[in-house]
Amino acid sequence: MPARILYVDDEDDIREIAQMSLELEPEFEVRSCSSGAEALTDAAAWHPDLILLDVMMPDMDGPETLKRLAASPLTASIPVAFITARTQTHQVERYLTMGAVGVIAKPFDPLALAGEVRKLLSERPGQA
């Protein structure tokens, strides 16, 4: 069964590149959305195995989206990794303290993205 990946980013071009690069991996089923509010709805309905979440988005940013995902019984168990250009050590530590399972630096390498996601999925307890 393919791993479900939800990619959340307000920038259309980045979202499109990420989705295309992740879809090159036959073991992934990928959906994307453009806002934190959409992510809350899509995650509750689709139950992805991993959410890749942009940190800086209008209206509801990544950290606020993560907080709301964690507060809902429908989505609290879904692991979230941030995708961000803000990757200084103290920032990464803050994201991990918030409950993120990892941080992928932006701009990401489209050819390496699936491998990074596979690594995040394999680090989860009970996963292959």
Side-chain angles (χ1 to χ4, degrees):
M1 192 162 129
R4 293 176 166 195
I5 311 298
L6 180 62
Y7 188 89
V8 185
D9 198 312
D10 61 306
E11 294 180 54
D12 295 341
D13 53 345
I14 293 175
R15 201 170 57 247
E16 196 172 310
I17 290 167
Q19 183 154 359
M20 286 190 314
S21 61
L22 290 170
E23 285 175 340
L24 293 173
E25 173 57 65
E27 296 168 24
F28 293 164
E29 183 179 343
V30 185
R31 289 189 187 176
S32 64
C33 58
S34 60
S35 70
E38 268 186 76
L40 297 176
T41 304
D42 289 0
W46 192 50
H47 303 289
D49 296 298
L50 179 68
I51 297 172
L52 299 175
L53 186 56
D54 185 21
V55 169
M56 295 177 61
M57 295 185 292
D59 303 322
M60 188 188 314
D61 66 5
E64 178 61 26
T65 304
L66 174 60
K67 192 178 355 175
R68 292 190 192 190
L69 286 164
S72 167
L74 290 173
T75 54
S77 64
I78 301 170
V80 175
F82 282 121
I83 301 228
T84 181
R86 298 181 170 192
T87 55
Q88 293 180 351
T89 304
H90 72 280
Q91 292 166 319
V92 170
E93 286 171 0
R94 197 176 118 238
Y95 301 142
L96 296 175
T97 301
M98 286 178 195
V101 296
V103 176
I104 295 175
K106 257 184 169 178
F108 54 82
D109 175 352
L111 298 176
L113 184 60
E116 291 186 62
V117 169
R118 214 174 12 259
K119 184 173 182 280
L120 288 170
L121 287 167
S122 70
E123 291 169 355
R124 289 180 48 212
Q127 296 295 310

